[in-house]
Amino acid sequence: MPSFNLGRQPISDGSSFIRPAELRGLPTDKTLVLVNSKRRHRSALVSIGGSGTQGPDISTIPSIALKNIEVLRDGASAQYGSDAIAGVINFILKDADDGFSLSIDSGEFSEGDGAQTTVQANLGLPLGESGFINMSAEISEADATSRSEQYCESWFCADPNGAHPYNIRSGQNGGDAAFLAGLPSANIGQDDVVNPWGQPNQEAARFFFNAGYQIDADTEAYAFGNISESESDGGFFYRYPGNGTIEDLREADGGIYNPLEKYPGGFTPRFFGEVSDFSLLGGIRGSFDNGLNYDFSGRTGESEIRYTLANTINPSQGRASQQSFKPGDLINSETQFQADFNYEFESSFASPVLLAFGASYMDESYEVVQGELNSYVAGPHATPDPFGLCNADMTASTAGMNVIAGGSTLDCANSGDPVYQVVGVGSNGFPGFSPQFSEKYERSSTALFADVSADITDNLFLQGAIRYEDYSDFDAETVVKVAGLYRFTDNFAIRGSIGTGFRAPTPGQQGTINVSTRLPNGFPVATGLFPAGGPVAQALGATPLTPETSTNYTIGFTANIAELDLTVDFYRINLDDATYAISTRDVSTDPTSGDAYQNFLLLDNAGVAGANSIGGVLYFTNGFDVSSEGVDIVASYPLNWDSAGSTNLSVALSYNKKAFESDPSAFRNEEAQFDYVNYNPNWRGVFTAAHDINDLRLTARASYWGEHENANSGTSRRQVQDPTWFVDLEAQYQINDTFRIAAGGRNVFDEYPAKGNVGDTCCGRLYESGTVVDWNGSYWFARLTADF
């Protein structure tokens, strides 16, 4: 699949813990994921930036559980419903009723970190006289990587020998010596820098089963499901003295408190996510006496993320703040019942006409679970002079006079006195979900669909599909698709399709809220994301989300030329009313800051706790139209060397170009517009050679990412990334009928993308964390497999 991508992101809130898939240059929520041809439930994680995607987490499926993978590479909303705009990935589970397999895989990156071990097992058993149950399990553990340097920026440098002056404020809380001594403990992660960047620590235990039972010659019962538990952790941005979080605060007794008392070298909040994933599907399929085939099924699925934030504070609580918090949970639940039928009608065509039709009912919910009180509560230091030590005319009150008499340095006449200092509300890095934003968003939908297809002649196949879907929170949508294939010869055929599609915004997209540190202008600020349909975002001008609609065009050909198998497919997807987050809007308590001050007033009037400590705000909107077009080329060619074995050569090459089809400037700034079009490479290729000789297989793979570019500070600063090649090598040897060993490396020449030189790579980060080109370096592994 040349246009397939699976992203990894460090320091990206919960997005670091989830692995969704994407096709053809569109966000992950435009690709529908099926298991055994049934819809897979979504994860509980809604990504905060970009299009706010919420898709299934495919890392919950152990690879050993898979029999094969099917991919439909054109729009399929008319057949499968919402989300199938870019295509469909169908994971088919193993169904063997005997045998046992065990695999142990272990490796490490060449830099000496990121050690990973995965143990997988698969067992097939008979179920009664005419059934099977196939079970798969996986236990994995992966250590974090760090591709970082010490935090040293113009606004603060934690390195006395760094490029910028060492600017820790002299004399504060013991001065430089105390601060330097505390630096090694600022980050509780694995690295000696205060702000590590890399893949997160992760451990997981996963289980999948697939079962079927033949009741009689015409009837089969089936079921499959999974349980998955995983835990990951990653760091946030480093909090340094004087950044608005670590500040001097005047306490009720007139004394001064500074968070350096808890964290002498500053601190880097650590984010932990416990992810639970559960699904169960059961059904019965067969044939009636009249030849009508049926499939009745029901499924339920749930994904839950439980957050913990450690090595941090609630700044507004001052000295009383705890240092770890439970900021809340996210839960996505789905229940669906579906009836599918198909019937063959005799016809005068070259084949019978196949009619497939059915109906579906689905309930969905997304719950934001309230965090513990101290994770969101506004402490006294959320407002200036919280203990009434000063009068309005900046003279000492009676309480102030009393603390001064007790030796306090309180100076009410000085606007810079710590008594007036205001700091952020909630667990710093990820404030907890307050009652105001802890809700459960629910909806239901019904669907009716039909699909008809036939070989009109020996050379011409045609298909048409229509689907009607009605959502309780949106108007109904009807989408259609027409597809065909014409065989000119046994070795050459053209194929194509035209279809409309849609994607209804998920309950999660409508309900997610987040306040976290982001880099809207290359500088870390606390940024709030609010539901588009809620009072806060609407006060800022938002409107409730509406469905995205699409038109999908594909045309291509398949060819067999001697031993060469070749497919070429051109496509264009027009996506209208695309869902994306607006570019971050500045917020400021400074009355002279224009729109930024007006945004503060809107947040404050909407009752947002800690509005005076938020520096930016955003929300999702259906703001503009986009397109994605390109070509996928897949080819394979076998070579036979007689006694020297055989080699199979394959190429998967993709070109993709994205563009705006309407003016996005009201919602996306100049930098965001530039990066949308240019950030990902247009060209992507995978070239593979697999050579088999007796019991030995040697595999070499070259992966290619073409030139791409990103911008910062508007588009005044740009960085062009040159094309990148990774080479993977693997040797696999079948020792006997039972045991097989393998060893090899990914990116064996230890290639990296160019280091970032624009503002997005601040704060110790060496590489663009969002790039599709991996920046962890070479990885070496060994694997033992046993089949019984």
Side-chain angles (χ1 to χ4, degrees), residues 682-697:
N682 295 127
W683 285 101
R684 170 82 169 98
V686 180
F687 308 84
T688 306
H691 182 76
D692 291 288
I693 178 170
N694 299 323
D695 295 322
L696 177 65
R697 164 168 285 196

Side-chain angles (χ1 to χ4, degrees), residues 8 73 106 108 146 314 324 348 372 395 558 579 589 722 735 755 762 779:
R8 293 181 173 90
R73 289 185 287 181
S106 187
E108 187 176 73
S146 176
N314 181 337
S324 65
S348 59
E372 64 173 294
T395 60
T558 65
T579 300
T589 57
D722 293 331
I735 300 173
K755 292 182 179 180
C762 82
Y779 177 83

Side-chain angles (χ1 to χ4, degrees), residues 363-671:
D363 271 328
E364 303 173 75
S365 70
Y366 187 82
E367 185 175 4
V368 180
V369 180
Q370 181 180 329
E372 64 173 294
L373 176 65
N374 287 334
S375 72
Y376 61 81
V377 71
H381 298 288
T383 57
D385 190 19
F387 306 111
L389 300 179
C390 301
N391 296 314
D393 61 357
M394 298 184 71
T395 60
S397 66
T398 300
M401 295 296 292
N402 290 335
V403 299
I404 291 172
S408 172
T409 59
L410 173 68
D411 182 3
C412 292
N414 177 12
S415 61
D417 189 276
V419 73
Y420 299 116
Q421 179 67 51
V422 173
V423 289
V425 170
S427 45
N428 189 249
F430 192 94
F433 303 125
S434 67
Q436 180 185 6
F437 299 106
S438 301
E439 298 184 43
K440 189 173 185 178
Y441 298 80
E442 298 179 284
R443 76 161 175 222
S444 61
S445 62
T446 56
L448 300 172
F449 47 90
D451 184 300
V452 61
S453 60
D455 287 313
I456 306 302
T457 68
D458 289 338
N459 296 329
L460 177 64
F461 169 83
L462 291 178
Q463 179 186 39
I466 185 170
R467 186 182 187 96
Y468 169 85
E469 202 138 5
D470 188 13
Y471 285 82
S472 61
D473 52 350
F474 298 104
D475 293 334
E477 293 281 348
T478 299
V479 292
V480 297
K481 178 180 177 180
V482 177
L485 181 146
Y486 188 82
R487 304 176 185 88
F488 287 91
T489 69
D490 290 341
N491 297 319
F492 182 80
I494 61 171
R495 59 189 182 187
S497 68
I498 301 175
T500 58
F502 75 101
R503 194 198 66 82
T506 68
Q509 283 180 311
Q510 298 178 68
T512 192
I513 177 174
N514 179 275
V515 178
S516 59
T517 305
R518 298 173 61 80
L519 299 172
N521 301 301
F523 186 84
V525 296
T527 305
L529 170 77
F530 298 97
V536 176
Q538 292 197 353
L540 295 165
T543 56
L545 294 176
T546 60
E548 300 167 292
T549 58
S550 68
T551 306
N552 193 309
Y553 307 89
T554 65
I555 188 168
F557 65 86
T558 65
N560 302 105
I561 306 169
E563 297 295 320
L564 174 68
D565 288 333
L566 174 67
T567 67
V568 178
D569 292 288
F570 299 89
Y571 63 88
R572 179 180 173 89
I573 303 170
N574 294 325
L575 184 65
D576 295 337
D577 298 320
T579 300
Y580 277 89
I582 67 169
S583 294
T584 303
R585 295 182 178 175
D586 292 336
V587 178
S588 174
T589 57
D590 181 1
T592 66
S593 60
D595 289 343
Y597 181 65
Q598 294 303 312
N599 289 333
F600 159 71
L601 293 178
L602 292 170
L603 292 179
D604 192 50
N605 292 335
V608 177
N612 54 358
S613 65
I614 293 177
V617 66
L618 68 158
Y619 52 82
F620 298 124
T621 188
N622 301 97
F624 42 84
D625 304 334
V626 297
S627 65
S628 179
E629 63 181 3
V631 59
D632 289 342
I633 303 170
V634 180
S636 63
Y637 190 83
L639 297 171
N640 193 310
W641 309 99
D642 297 325
S643 61
S646 61
T647 304
N648 189 70
L649 305 176
S650 66
V651 175
L653 190 63
S654 173
Y655 175 83
N656 174 264
K657 181 180 180 180
K658 297 189 290 187
F660 290 103
E661 298 301 325
S662 67
D663 183 6
S665 58
F667 306 99
R668 304 284 279 177
N669 61 30
E670 187 179 12
E671 177 186 335

Side-chain angles (χ1 to χ4, degrees), residues 10-11 13 16-17 142-146 148 185-202 231-239 263 267-273 307-313 323-327 427-430:
I11 305 191
D13 297 332
S16 302
F17 312 146
D143 294 339
T145 63
S146 176
S148 320
S185 60
N187 161 44
I188 60 173
Q190 81 296 339
D191 201 54
D192 59 357
V193 298
V194 297
N195 209 144
W197 294 85
Q199 72 178 28
N201 293 299
Q202 186 174 62
E231 181 175 350
S232 300
D233 71 89
F236 280 82
F237 289 100
Y238 170 63
R239 271 57 172 170
Y263 302 106
F267 65 94
T268 303
R270 198 78 183 170
F271 201 36
F272 297 81
Y307 289 135
T308 299
L309 197 61
N311 201 50
T312 189
I313 54 174
Q323 293 176 264
S324 65
F325 302 85
K326 296 287 187 180
S427 45
N428 189 249
F430 192 94

Side-chain angles (χ1 to χ4, degrees), residues 55-79:
D57 178 10
I58 67 172
S59 70
T60 59
I61 308 173
S63 58
I64 201 170
L66 299 178
K67 181 179 181 180
N68 64 290
I69 300 173
E70 301 173 343
V71 180
L72 183 60
R73 289 185 287 181
D74 58 358
S77 287
Q79 291 129 313

Side-chain angles (χ1 to χ4, degrees), residues 219-232:
T219 311
E220 180 193 15
Y222 61 91
F224 59 88
N226 82 291
I227 298 174
S228 173
E229 294 284 343
S230 63
E231 181 175 350
S232 300

